[in-house]
Amino acid sequence: MTNIPNPDEVFPNEYKTSCFIKNVITAPNIMVGDYTYYDDPVDPTHGL
């Protein structure tokens, strides 16, 4: 069976190189889908 990441977690992988964007965006006028992610080997949450 496939392990599907939880869309309510900020980091869906153990290396913390990807983040689900909807969990770090704070602007109320921006809508992001549950599984939309950003990948960065240094800090994927920087600047979001």
Side-chain angles (χ1 to χ4, degrees):
M1 185 168 207
T2 304
N3 186 10
I4 300 172
N6 181 351
D8 295 323
E9 292 181 9
V10 174
F11 299 105
N13 67 12
E14 63 188 78
Y15 309 108
K16 298 190 188 299
T17 57
S18 299
C19 75
F20 285 134
I21 297 173
K22 78 169 187 124
N23 300 317
V24 293
I25 296 289
T26 57
N29 61 332
I30 297 175
M31 295 175 54
V32 179
D34 284 345
Y35 290 97
T36 304
Y37 70 94
Y38 177 73
D39 186 79
D40 186 322
V42 179
D43 183 7
T45 61
H46 181 73
L48 293 176

